Amino acid sequence: MEVNIFTQPELPYAPDALAPAISEETISYHWGKHEKTYIENLNKLVRNTQWEDMPLEEIIRKAQGPLFNNASQAWNHIFYFFSFSPDGGGEPDGELADAIKRDFGSFDEFKKLFVEAGTGLFGSGWVWLSQDKDGKLFITQGSNAANPITDGLKPILTFDVWEHAYYLDYQNRRAEALGRLWDIVDWKVVSERYSKKK
Ligand code: MN
């Protein structure tokens, strides 16, 4: 019997809990089918290879081609879906709030720049908030499966800008889809990522 090396975790909320920002139908396709397939493909690619016992982040740093794509997409979606909560929204506090104000001027300016970066990415990909080793924050765009880990940055928050992330709910209205995600971002989780530093 084949074992799954990487497994898909249970979401920490009900499939309808993020509506209307993300509908139950989108969760069922995006998490239930797209992410499931990335993890299945990742397992097929690593089984009985040198990659089998490697942590997922190390695979992302070292792999190319289909293995990189599936490993990174598997990681990115877990990171994305675990950034949300039905009790989310509002603003961060503590160290992350201070760093956002320091590096972007204000929380509102950060949100504006982040959505602009996500909307301005041509084609499929992700918009990221990451930190360097000194805690400085950066907003970056990444095409397809890209992940800032490969640039030596530590991801703090990401929004998925692939059409599969929003088309069922928002059709072509990417900016609106991204803007609604602020209502469900779990800043407690996101702030803890930052406080861990690198
Ligand atoms: Mn996606």
PDB file of all heavy atoms in Angstrom, residues 97-112:
ATOM      1  N   ALA A  97       2.292  45.314  13.643  1.00  0.00           N
ATOM      2  CA  ALA A  97       1.658  46.615  13.392  1.00  0.00           C
ATOM      3  C   ALA A  97       2.715  47.719  13.323  1.00  0.00           C
ATOM      4  O   ALA A  97       2.668  48.584  12.440  1.00  0.00           O
ATOM      5  CB  ALA A  97       0.641  46.917  14.495  1.00  0.00           C
ATOM      6  N   ASP A  98       3.672  47.672  14.240  1.00  0.00           N
ATOM      7  CA  ASP A  98       4.747  48.684  14.246  1.00  0.00           C
ATOM      8  C   ASP A  98       5.580  48.606  12.968  1.00  0.00           C
ATOM      9  O   ASP A  98       5.939  49.630  12.381  1.00  0.00           O
ATOM     10  CB  ASP A  98       5.668  48.470  15.456  1.00  0.00           C
ATOM     11  CG  ASP A  98       4.949  48.703  16.777  1.00  0.00           C
ATOM     12  OD1 ASP A  98       3.863  49.333  16.758  1.00  0.00           O
ATOM     13  OD2 ASP A  98       5.463  48.248  17.820  1.00  0.00           O
ATOM     14  N   ALA A  99       5.880  47.370  12.532  1.00  0.00           N
ATOM     15  CA  ALA A  99       6.712  47.193  11.339  1.00  0.00           C
ATOM     16  C   ALA A  99       5.971  47.648  10.079  1.00  0.00           C
ATOM     17  O   ALA A  99       6.573  48.240   9.177  1.00  0.00           O
ATOM     18  CB  ALA A  99       7.131  45.724  11.213  1.00  0.00           C
ATOM     19  N   ILE A 100       4.662  47.380  10.014  1.00  0.00           N
ATOM     20  CA  ILE A 100       3.868  47.827   8.856  1.00  0.00           C
ATOM     21  C   ILE A 100       3.867  49.349   8.789  1.00  0.00           C
ATOM     22  O   ILE A 100       4.056  49.938   7.717  1.00  0.00           O
ATOM     23  CB  ILE A 100       2.425  47.261   8.932  1.00  0.00           C
ATOM     24  CG1 ILE A 100       2.435  45.764   8.590  1.00  0.00           C
ATOM     25  CG2 ILE A 100       1.480  48.032   8.009  1.00  0.00           C
ATOM     26  CD1 ILE A 100       1.100  45.053   8.779  1.00  0.00           C
ATOM     27  N   LYS A 101       3.682  49.987   9.930  1.00  0.00           N
ATOM     28  CA  LYS A 101       3.679  51.456   9.958  1.00  0.00           C
ATOM     29  C   LYS A 101       5.062  51.995   9.550  1.00  0.00           C
ATOM     30  O   LYS A 101       5.178  52.946   8.770  1.00  0.00           O
ATOM     31  CB  LYS A 101       3.288  51.956  11.354  1.00  0.00           C
ATOM     32  CG  LYS A 101       2.984  53.428  11.377  1.00  0.00           C
ATOM     33  CD  LYS A 101       2.379  53.864  12.699  1.00  0.00           C
ATOM     34  CE  LYS A 101       2.105  55.367  12.634  1.00  0.00           C
ATOM     35  NZ  LYS A 101       1.935  55.968  13.942  1.00  0.00           N
ATOM     36  N   ARG A 102       6.113  51.360  10.061  1.00  0.00           N
ATOM     37  CA  ARG A 102       7.482  51.795   9.767  1.00  0.00           C
ATOM     38  C   ARG A 102       7.805  51.655   8.272  1.00  0.00           C
ATOM     39  O   ARG A 102       8.378  52.535   7.647  1.00  0.00           O
ATOM     40  CB  ARG A 102       8.461  50.947  10.588  1.00  0.00           C
ATOM     41  CG  ARG A 102       9.940  51.272  10.390  1.00  0.00           C
ATOM     42  CD  ARG A 102      10.816  50.170  10.974  1.00  0.00           C
ATOM     43  NE  ARG A 102      10.636  48.919  10.237  1.00  0.00           N
ATOM     44  CZ  ARG A 102      10.773  47.698  10.779  1.00  0.00           C
ATOM     45  NH1 ARG A 102      11.069  47.558  12.043  1.00  0.00           N
ATOM     46  NH2 ARG A 102      10.583  46.615  10.032  1.00  0.00           N
ATOM     47  N   ASP A 103       7.401  50.509   7.663  1.00  0.00           N
ATOM     48  CA  ASP A 103       7.841  50.202   6.295  1.00  0.00           C
ATOM     49  C   ASP A 103       6.869  50.661   5.203  1.00  0.00           C
ATOM     50  O   ASP A 103       7.269  50.765   4.045  1.00  0.00           O
ATOM     51  CB  ASP A 103       8.108  48.702   6.166  1.00  0.00           C
ATOM     52  CG  ASP A 103       9.305  48.270   7.017  1.00  0.00           C
ATOM     53  OD1 ASP A 103      10.172  49.130   7.295  1.00  0.00           O
ATOM     54  OD2 ASP A 103       9.372  47.105   7.429  1.00  0.00           O
ATOM     55  N   PHE A 104       5.593  50.890   5.565  1.00  0.00           N
ATOM     56  CA  PHE A 104       4.621  51.293   4.533  1.00  0.00           C
ATOM     57  C   PHE A 104       3.906  52.608   4.869  1.00  0.00           C
ATOM     58  O   PHE A 104       3.079  53.070   4.086  1.00  0.00           O
ATOM     59  CB  PHE A 104       3.587  50.187   4.311  1.00  0.00           C
ATOM     60  CG  PHE A 104       4.205  48.866   3.934  1.00  0.00           C
ATOM     61  CD1 PHE A 104       4.173  47.794   4.821  1.00  0.00           C
ATOM     62  CD2 PHE A 104       4.850  48.691   2.714  1.00  0.00           C
ATOM     63  CE1 PHE A 104       4.764  46.573   4.492  1.00  0.00           C
ATOM     64  CE2 PHE A 104       5.442  47.482   2.381  1.00  0.00           C
ATOM     65  CZ  PHE A 104       5.402  46.423   3.266  1.00  0.00           C
ATOM     66  N   GLY A 105       4.149  53.173   6.028  1.00  0.00           N
ATOM     67  CA  GLY A 105       3.530  54.448   6.399  1.00  0.00           C
ATOM     68  C   GLY A 105       2.303  54.277   7.269  1.00  0.00           C
ATOM     69  O   GLY A 105       2.156  54.952   8.279  1.00  0.00           O
ATOM     70  N   SER A 106       1.404  53.374   6.862  1.00  0.00           N
ATOM     71  CA  SER A 106       0.194  53.114   7.655  1.00  0.00           C
ATOM     72  C   SER A 106      -0.384  51.768   7.233  1.00  0.00           C
ATOM     73  O   SER A 106      -0.020  51.213   6.188  1.00  0.00           O
ATOM     74  CB  SER A 106      -0.861  54.210   7.424  1.00  0.00           C
ATOM     75  OG  SER A 106      -1.369  54.117   6.100  1.00  0.00           O
ATOM     76  N   PHE A 107      -1.301  51.245   8.045  1.00  0.00           N
ATOM     77  CA  PHE A 107      -1.957  49.980   7.708  1.00  0.00           C
ATOM     78  C   PHE A 107      -2.795  50.124   6.435  1.00  0.00           C
ATOM     79  O   PHE A 107      -2.792  49.245   5.578  1.00  0.00           O
ATOM     80  CB  PHE A 107      -2.824  49.520   8.884  1.00  0.00           C
ATOM     81  CG  PHE A 107      -3.505  48.198   8.654  1.00  0.00           C
ATOM     82  CD1 PHE A 107      -2.774  47.041   8.453  1.00  0.00           C
ATOM     83  CD2 PHE A 107      -4.895  48.110   8.645  1.00  0.00           C
ATOM     84  CE1 PHE A 107      -3.402  45.810   8.247  1.00  0.00           C
ATOM     85  CE2 PHE A 107      -5.526  46.882   8.441  1.00  0.00           C
ATOM     86  CZ  PHE A 107      -4.779  45.742   8.241  1.00  0.00           C
ATOM     87  N   ASP A 108      -3.494  51.245   6.297  1.00  0.00           N
ATOM     88  CA  ASP A 108      -4.301  51.467   5.086  1.00  0.00           C
ATOM     89  C   ASP A 108      -3.428  51.531   3.842  1.00  0.00           C
ATOM     90  O   ASP A 108      -3.799  51.007   2.786  1.00  0.00           O
ATOM     91  CB  ASP A 108      -5.122  52.755   5.220  1.00  0.00           C
ATOM     92  CG  ASP A 108      -6.320  52.558   6.136  1.00  0.00           C
ATOM     93  OD1 ASP A 108      -6.679  51.396   6.405  1.00  0.00           O
ATOM     94  OD2 ASP A 108      -6.880  53.569   6.596  1.00  0.00           O
ATOM     95  N   GLU A 109      -2.269  52.180   3.945  1.00  0.00           N
ATOM     96  CA  GLU A 109      -1.366  52.266   2.799  1.00  0.00           C
ATOM     97  C   GLU A 109      -0.827  50.871   2.450  1.00  0.00           C
ATOM     98  O   GLU A 109      -0.719  50.513   1.276  1.00  0.00           O
ATOM     99  CB  GLU A 109      -0.210  53.227   3.111  1.00  0.00           C
ATOM    100  CG  GLU A 109       0.750  53.464   1.957  1.00  0.00           C
ATOM    101  CD  GLU A 109       0.137  54.181   0.765  1.00  0.00           C
ATOM    102  OE1 GLU A 109      -0.981  54.725   0.877  1.00  0.00           O
ATOM    103  OE2 GLU A 109       0.776  54.181  -0.311  1.00  0.00           O
ATOM    104  N   PHE A 110      -0.485  50.087   3.480  1.00  0.00           N
ATOM    105  CA  PHE A 110      -0.048  48.704   3.235  1.00  0.00           C
ATOM    106  C   PHE A 110      -1.118  47.924   2.466  1.00  0.00           C
ATOM    107  O   PHE A 110      -0.823  47.252   1.472  1.00  0.00           O
ATOM    108  CB  PHE A 110       0.276  47.988   4.558  1.00  0.00           C
ATOM    109  CG  PHE A 110       0.170  46.494   4.448  1.00  0.00           C
ATOM    110  CD1 PHE A 110       1.104  45.772   3.709  1.00  0.00           C
ATOM    111  CD2 PHE A 110      -0.894  45.809   5.035  1.00  0.00           C
ATOM    112  CE1 PHE A 110       0.974  44.385   3.565  1.00  0.00           C
ATOM    113  CE2 PHE A 110      -1.027  44.434   4.889  1.00  0.00           C
ATOM    114  CZ  PHE A 110      -0.087  43.720   4.153  1.00  0.00           C
ATOM    115  N   LYS A 111      -2.369  47.999   2.925  1.00  0.00           N
ATOM    116  CA  LYS A 111      -3.448  47.247   2.260  1.00  0.00           C
ATOM    117  C   LYS A 111      -3.590  47.678   0.801  1.00  0.00           C
ATOM    118  O   LYS A 111      -3.779  46.838  -0.088  1.00  0.00           O
ATOM    119  CB  LYS A 111      -4.778  47.446   3.004  1.00  0.00           C
ATOM    120  CG  LYS A 111      -4.840  46.720   4.334  1.00  0.00           C
ATOM    121  CD  LYS A 111      -6.269  46.607   4.855  1.00  0.00           C
ATOM    122  CE  LYS A 111      -6.852  47.944   5.215  1.00  0.00           C
ATOM    123  NZ  LYS A 111      -8.206  47.816   5.813  1.00  0.00           N
ATOM    124  N   LYS A 112      -3.485  48.976   0.566  1.00  0.00           N
ATOM    125  CA  LYS A 112      -3.607  49.506  -0.793  1.00  0.00           C
ATOM    126  C   LYS A 112      -2.474  48.966  -1.679  1.00  0.00           C
ATOM    127  O   LYS A 112      -2.718  48.468  -2.778  1.00  0.00           O
ATOM    128  CB  LYS A 112      -3.580  51.031  -0.735  1.00  0.00           C
ATOM    129  CG  LYS A 112      -3.658  51.743  -2.067  1.00  0.00           C
ATOM    130  CD  LYS A 112      -3.841  53.252  -1.831  1.00  0.00           C
ATOM    131  CE  LYS A 112      -3.420  54.069  -3.020  1.00  0.00           C
ATOM    132  NZ  LYS A 112      -1.965  54.207  -3.175  1.00  0.00           N
TER     133      LYS A 112
END
